[in-house]
Amino acid sequence: MAAGSAIQIPTRLPLLLTHESVLLPGSTMRTSVDSPRNMQLVRSRLLKGTSLRSTIIGVIPNTSDPTSDCDDLPNLHRIGTAALAVQVVGSNWPKPHYTLLVTGLCRFQILQLLKEKPYPVAEVQQLDRLEQFTNGHKSEEELGELSEQFYKYAVQLVEMLDMSVPAVAKLRRLLDNLPREALPDILTSIIRTTNQEKLQILDAVRLEERFKMTIPLLVRQIEGLKLLQKTRKSKQDDDKRVVAIRPNRRISHGSITEDEEEEEDHDDVVMLEKKIRTSSMSEQALKVCLKEIKRLKKMPQSMPEYALTRNYLELMVELPWNKSTKDRLEIRAARIVLDNDHYAMEKLKKRVLEYLAVRQLKNNLKGPILCFVGPPGVGKTSVGRSIAKTLGREFHRIALGGVCDQSDIRGHRRTYVGSMPGRIINGLKTVGVNNPVFLLDEVDKLAKSLQGDPAAALLEVLDPEQNHSFTDHYLNVAFDLSQVLFIATANTTATIPPALLDRMEVIQVPGYTQEEKIEIAHRHLIPKQLEQHGLTPQQIQIPQLTTLGIITRYTREAGVRALDRKLGAICRAVAVKVAEGQHKEAKPDRAEVGEGEDCKEHITEDAKPESISDTADLALPPEMPILIDFHALKDILGPPMYDMEVSERLNQPGVAIGLAWTPLGGEIMFVEASRMDGEGQLTLTGQLGDVMKESAHLAISWLRSNAKRYQLTNASGSFDLLDNTDIHLHFPAGAVTKDGPSAGVTIVTCLASLFSGRLVCSDVAMTGEITLRGLVLPVGGIKDKVLAAHRAGLKRIIIPQRNEKDLEEIAAHVRQDLTFVLAACLDEVLNAAFDGGFAVKARLEHLNSKL
Ligand code: ADP
């Protein structure tokens, strides 16, 4: 058979002795080499050889290499496979060994063993032809039917496998392309056969014999596969029926009670499916869930997607698709709740009641979203909470400050690892009903980022026309948000995107006056703090005068949050004293002082009331309350943080007080100016925005053009104020960016004071925009500004004439304390700002000292 073969193997072959496996021609095998002779073969033949010939070795099956090279060789199997060593991999661990990858070429038979050491070499005779597989037709004719039969079985076998696997598809092609005589060897090495069977095939030198021996192996494999496929199919059917079968099977064990049977019923996925079917989710959602649960059943539990899908389905079941609380809206009761919870804020309460009344009459929520805008700590959040209370609805607060990813609102798609629903859906899951009050806190602090614009995502949520089909990316089905009552809060409308602002009705919540703060403190904050600290009114007494002291000297804010904190600090200090059982009072009569009016009399410097810290040694009956007076205040809160510094700062020309509006409420603002020799430059400091810089330029231009009229001169007596003169304008609190037109009149007044050398009245504050022609234009935030001036103890306020209408909003007692000057032009402003007026052409020779 070897005659005429195209490729000839060497007649002398080094022999690799294998025991564990059988290499057949046409197949590849990986074998481990660690016995002495085989190692020698690899080292001296394979690793050192350089020609192709040197990589051809004879693999002898069924013969183990002795563990020592001193031992004689056992009887060698007569027939082996000539093979090409394709790869040698060496390793020293756990002991030196090589791993050889060999590909079988053809059979050979050993004629004579030539040497045994260091590795066996034999003279061999090639048994198979090693051709380039070109004459397939010839062999087909020779073997005729046998070969045809074999081919059919082979095709049948391969087609039973999954053809989508590339290796199987390749094998199918090989069946057609390879010469038939090569097939028995190749297929034997692929199908499941024992080493013994492989050895028989190797020994079957005649092709016909080989075909005959392989066909039963193929048939056996085909039958095996058929059986396997049948059992797989029935197992799937079984899986479907597993729920029905399981209880019976358990009963057959005889020891299972009915309870346990039921527990078995609680099989997770089945339970989930049951819950899905019984939940009241929308049709669309139900369809999606059932599809997902079908997938879940087929999925092995170890798959990461299993947990994802389960979480998703569990959320879907938990969501309150149809669950709601019953509204118990009664306007009269609502008014009482709002009044009880909050002092003042009449405008806000009125609007909220209107809103609720419309809800009651119309019974739907399609209306604008309320947005409370005001400084921190004025009770925006707590009004939201009260609204929920009056309606008997669940309340949920969603803090939007700093949210910059739209997925925070709309959720992540489920393709993401760690995907989750957005805050809206999460909130609904938390409250468990579909009609809660959602407070969207700090909508003005949403930020944009690369992850999209969360404000845009909120648009859909807040639009009553759209939000009945809000689609969270995670859920991927619509959820009806139309029953949710949304309320938003913000510090300023300036940073709320216009589209969002458009969907909301803004209700301004201005800051409180001192009187209001005192009332809030005594009606709400102090009782709340006492309760939180486990104190009773019998243990601590805070007179109104003390509260006023905290408000003016320890806080400077529009709301009451810092006040609340300070009261908390006082309660803590008292709690320590009470807990120590050491609370004492110097004069028992002072403890009986109840009302603020009386307090004023008692807490004077002469009375020298003793603070809780320095009265420790005087024992008193436990029912005596600890009185918090100024001394106690100083002990607990430290020295006062704010002092009335207004008059001190206004004792030089070139300073004026302006009024500014910030998101935190109104503020008084000192504007300072100085002049020096120079080239007519204007320097502005204090982090000013462009509008403020323009106001400064306008003010200077107007003064320069009116210098003669007012007899204003620079240092050298010239009416050109900037001649050889530089001006520096400074707005203190330099770290805070300031912008807006309302400082115009203040800058003019400040510069007029600088150039005239006269002092601005120390109790005057002002606000207003100016024009180049000297008119005063209206500005915003009058109420907050007036409150700030009132807080700072100023008496006269200059505001633009066209802002007169805004004064109505200001509480009567505040108005009583203040004098308002309504100015239409700058002449009127200057006249009001300086003692004795600022007369045209009135040149004053001396300084008007105010001290
Ligand atoms: P905001 O949301 O405006 O920043 P909060 O609603 O958190 O302020 O209010 C801060 C605290 O002040 C809360 O404890 C609240 O009860 C209290 N508070 C504010 N305004 C009033 C008021 N008018 N009456 C009673 N308590 C108030």
Side-chain angles (χ1 to χ4, degrees):
M1 261 195 167
S5 64
I7 299 170
Q8 198 85 42
I9 61 165
T11 47
R12 289 158 67 106
L13 277 182
L15 301 181
L16 182 82
L17 310 180
T18 62
H19 184 62
E20 281 148 15
S21 42
V22 179
L23 176 70
L24 287 171
S27 65
T28 298
M29 174 179 90
R30 202 175 284 277
T31 176
S32 180
V33 170
D34 54 6
S35 56
R37 283 193 180 81
N38 283 350
M39 294 275 277
Q40 273 305 328
L41 168 77
V42 175
R43 279 193 202 120
S44 4
R45 174 85 182 202
L46 297 182
L47 297 180
K48 294 227 172 96
T50 48
S51 65
L52 180 65
R53 276 181 93 86
S54 64
T55 60
I56 298 179
I57 55 173
V59 179
I60 302 292
N62 199 23
T63 316
S64 57
D65 187 17
T67 45
S68 155
D69 54 359
C70 305
D71 295 348
D72 286 340
L73 275 182
N75 278 341
L76 301 179
H77 194 84
R78 301 301 302 167
I79 294 182
T81 312
L84 202 62
V86 184
Q87 189 191 48
V88 182
V89 181
S91 167
N92 268 330
W93 196 86
K95 58 177 185 174
H97 74 280
Y98 293 98
T99 305
L100 271 189
L101 186 69
V102 285
T103 299
L105 299 172
C106 62
R107 285 175 180 74
F108 68 84
Q109 115 182 348
I110 299 174
L111 295 179
Q112 189 189 355
L113 192 64
L114 297 175
K115 60 173 187 171
E116 290 192 15
K117 283 182 187 176
Y119 53 86
V121 178
E123 191 184 335
V124 300
Q125 182 196 2
Q126 184 170 347
L127 297 178
D128 297 334
R129 287 177 298 173
L130 237 186
E131 288 173 291
Q132 309 245 306
F133 303 130
T134 46
N135 50 356
H137 295 293
K138 198 177 151 206
S139 61
E140 211 173 292
E141 284 161 24
E142 275 173 14
L143 288 162
E145 228 171 85
L146 204 53
S147 138
E148 195 54 34
Q149 197 184 2
F150 179 89
Y151 173 76
K152 273 189 189 148
Y153 279 126
V155 171
Q156 188 187 351
L157 174 66
V158 173
E159 283 180 351
M160 283 173 84
L161 304 176
D162 183 359
M163 288 301 258
S164 64
V165 177
V168 176
K170 195 170 172 191
L171 183 62
R172 176 71 189 80
R173 280 199 302 277
L174 277 180
L175 287 185
D176 291 338
N177 296 340
L178 284 179
R180 297 267 162 97
E181 71 227 44
L183 291 181
D185 284 338
I186 292 176
L187 278 161
T188 308
S189 61
I190 291 174
I191 62 177
R192 195 179 290 246
T193 46
T194 62
N195 273 351
Q196 204 51 43
E197 283 162 344
K198 278 193 192 132
L199 208 59
Q200 282 173 7
I201 302 293
L202 183 71
D203 290 346
V205 177
R206 280 180 49 231
L207 197 56
E208 191 187 345
E209 192 185 344
R210 223 181 292 157
F211 271 125
K212 277 187 184 154
M213 288 174 80
T214 341
I215 286 175
L217 298 179
L218 276 185
V219 173
R220 187 182 71 192
Q221 184 76 28
I222 290 170
E223 291 305 319
L225 267 181
K226 274 185 187 161
L227 206 66
L228 194 72
Q229 282 175 352
K230 219 192 254 172
T231 50
R232 251 192 218 151
K233 205 165 158 241
S234 68
K235 190 161 174 278
Q236 275 177 7
D237 293 346
D238 280 358
D239 277 352
K240 282 183 193 154
R241 269 180 280 132
V242 74
V243 195
I245 291 167
R246 221 177 259 177
N248 298 341
R249 197 179 54 205
R250 284 303 175 112
I251 285 171
S252 70
H253 285 293
S255 58
I256 310 291
T257 64
E258 264 186 23
D259 279 354
E260 276 165 314
E261 231 177 80
E262 255 183 40
E263 245 178 57
E264 193 60 39
D265 225 0
H266 284 231
D267 182 55
D268 280 356
V269 178
V270 182
M271 266 306 276
L272 200 57
E273 185 173 1
K274 218 189 235 171
K275 278 193 208 160
I276 291 171
R277 286 188 192 280
T278 52
S279 83
S280 49
M281 60 178 77
S282 65
E283 223 170 87
Q284 187 199 7
L286 186 68
K287 224 157 109 192
V288 172
C289 282
L290 290 178
K291 208 168 118 200
E292 290 290 319
I293 203 127
K294 223 171 175 181
R295 280 184 58 218
L296 192 71
K297 281 180 184 165
K298 284 188 199 149
M299 240 183 253
Q301 288 206 6
S302 52
M303 230 167 129
E305 217 190 321
Y306 183 87
L308 281 182
T309 313
R310 254 197 87 131
N311 287 348
Y312 172 75
L313 290 172
E314 269 163 15
L315 173 76
M316 292 291 270
V317 171
E318 269 180 62
L319 280 181
W321 295 93
N322 230 341
K323 213 167 124 201
S324 54
T325 49
K326 197 164 163 9
D327 274 3
R328 49 174 165 79
L329 182 55
E330 220 243 285
I331 287 300
R332 231 171 303 151
R335 190 192 297 273
I336 293 170
V337 170
L338 277 179
D339 280 342
N340 281 349
D341 287 356
H342 298 95
Y343 179 77
M345 358 171 75
E346 298 309 331
K347 199 168 139 195
L348 175 72
K349 285 196 260 187
K350 186 165 154 250
R351 181 63 190 96
V352 167
L353 283 175
E354 283 169 12
Y355 184 82
L356 294 178
V358 175
R359 297 283 121 0
Q360 185 183 350
L361 296 180
K362 206 158 157 247
N363 207 12
N364 89 16
L365 282 168
K366 276 192 187 158
I369 310 289
L370 293 183
C371 175
F372 303 149
V373 178
V378 291
K380 302 182 295 291
T381 314
S382 87
V383 169
R385 201 169 267 127
S386 293
I387 292 177
K389 199 160 101 184
T390 58
L391 290 171
R393 289 189 175 201
E394 295 289 332
F395 177 80
H396 185 73
R397 177 171 161 268
I398 300 177
L400 295 176
V403 168
C404 61
D405 184 351
Q406 66 149 329
S407 323
D408 251 347
I409 310 289
R410 275 181 163 277
H412 295 266
R413 291 198 188 281
R414 266 197 299 144
T415 44
Y416 280 101
V417 179
S419 56
M420 54 184 176
R423 290 184 187 213
I424 306 285
I425 293 297
N426 245 337
L428 285 167
K429 186 183 132 194
T430 312
V431 295
V433 285
N434 68 1
N435 64 342
V437 173
F438 268 172
L439 187 91
L440 304 172
D441 222 356
E442 321 276 15
V443 272
D444 56 331
K445 295 187 186 61
L446 287 170
K448 261 188 209 176
S449 74
L450 285 180
Q451 279 78 35
D453 183 0
L458 264 190
L459 289 180
E460 190 189 339
V461 176
L462 296 184
D463 192 336
E465 300 299 327
Q466 291 180 27
N467 69 9
H468 57 268
S469 60
F470 169 71
T471 308
D472 184 280
H473 285 330
Y474 182 81
L475 291 197
N476 216 10
V477 288
F479 192 96
D480 183 1
L481 293 182
S482 60
Q483 294 307 310
V484 181
L485 174 62
F486 288 102
I487 296 174
T489 78
N491 288 142
T492 170
T493 50
T495 49
I496 304 179
L500 197 56
L501 195 60
D502 192 45
R503 283 167 171 69
M504 304 192 285
E505 179 180 333
V506 172
I507 302 179
Q508 294 285 351
V509 193
Y512 297 116
T513 61
Q514 282 172 3
E515 288 72 19
E516 283 170 345
K517 283 186 190 176
I518 293 176
E519 285 300 324
I520 293 172
H522 283 266
R523 288 171 193 233
H524 300 283
L525 304 183
I526 295 177
K528 223 176 346 176
Q529 288 291 352
L530 292 190
E531 196 196 318
Q532 276 176 15
H533 290 86
L535 296 169
T536 60
Q538 281 74 44
Q539 289 165 323
I540 174 175
Q541 199 174 53
I542 306 176
Q544 294 208 346
L545 204 63
T546 309
T547 319
L548 183 65
I550 304 173
I551 292 166
T552 53
R553 302 173 76 180
Y554 289 91
T555 64
R556 187 163 280 182
E557 57 169 355
V560 291
R561 198 167 283 147
L563 175 63
D564 199 25
R565 268 202 303 271
K566 299 285 174 204
L567 291 170
I570 292 170
C571 289
R572 277 198 303 276
V574 173
V576 174
K577 292 285 161 200
V578 171
E580 282 177 353
Q582 284 184 344
H583 79 288
K584 284 129 201 173
E585 186 95 16
K587 294 177 188 168
D589 63 337
R590 199 164 344 113
E592 278 136 38
V593 174
E595 290 312 303
E597 279 307 300
D598 300 338
C599 281
K600 277 182 191 164
E601 290 162 31
H602 285 275
I603 306 162
T604 55
E605 280 301 301
D606 315 314
K608 281 240 179 296
E610 283 172 59
S611 66
I612 48 170
S613 59
D614 48 22
T615 56
D617 33 300
L618 288 168
L620 273 176
E623 64 269 16
M624 286 300 174
I626 294 175
L627 179 76
I628 305 297
D629 52 25
F630 282 133
H631 291 263
L633 216 51
K634 214 166 160 187
D635 277 341
I636 298 169
L637 301 179
M641 291 178 197
Y642 304 101
D643 269 324
M644 291 299 163
E645 43 175 1
V646 176
S647 54
E648 283 164 34
R649 295 187 69 164
L650 283 178
N651 59 6
Q652 281 180 19
V655 186
I657 305 173
L659 293 172
W661 182 89
T662 72
L664 310 184
E667 295 262 8
I668 63 164
M669 177 178 66
F670 292 91
V671 181
E672 299 177 346
S674 72
R675 62 178 170 180
M676 57 222 90
D677 288 347
E679 287 150 17
Q681 278 188 352
L682 173 67
T683 311
L684 296 166
T685 51
Q687 283 239 30
L688 308 183
D690 287 340
V691 180
M692 202 106 157
K693 284 181 190 154
E694 283 170 12
S695 294
H697 284 286
L698 271 177
I700 292 199
S701 298
W702 183 81
L703 273 181
R704 283 174 77 187
S705 61
N706 288 283
K708 248 191 203 140
R709 210 151 65 88
Y710 286 111
Q711 297 292 320
L712 299 177
T713 55
N714 66 5
S716 54
S718 159
F719 285 128
D720 185 358
L721 301 180
L722 286 181
D723 188 23
N724 292 328
T725 310
D726 279 355
I727 298 176
H728 187 157
L729 267 174
H730 179 61
F731 296 73
V736 184
T737 313
K738 308 167 196 74
D739 203 10
S742 70
V745 292
T746 324
I747 301 172
V748 170
T749 312
C750 170
L751 290 174
S753 159
L754 179 73
F755 285 107
S756 66
R758 294 179 58 190
L759 292 177
V760 180
C761 292
S762 60
D763 59 354
V764 171
M766 59 201 80
T767 183
E769 183 178 354
I770 55 169
T771 68
L772 201 50
R773 293 263 149 218
L775 296 178
V776 177
L777 300 183
V779 291
I782 290 290
K783 183 171 181 194
D784 282 317
K785 289 174 176 176
V786 169
L787 290 180
H790 187 243
R791 273 201 297 274
L794 298 167
K795 293 281 173 266
R796 207 151 17 129
I797 299 179
I798 304 172
I799 60 166
Q801 195 174 36
R802 279 162 59 189
N803 276 119
E804 188 178 1
K805 58 181 185 331
D806 297 313
L807 295 180
E808 284 168 23
E809 283 182 29
I810 296 165
H813 63 269
V814 176
R815 261 186 295 176
Q816 271 168 19
D817 291 350
L818 300 169
T819 317
F820 292 97
V821 178
L822 302 170
C825 62
L826 280 171
D827 293 337
E828 291 168 22
V829 172
L830 292 179
N831 262 332
F834 293 89
D835 261 346
F838 201 77
V840 175
K841 290 203 175 160
R843 186 163 193 178
L844 294 167
E845 308 300 343
H846 60 274
L847 276 183
N848 232 6
S849 172
K850 303 195 53 56
L851 300 174

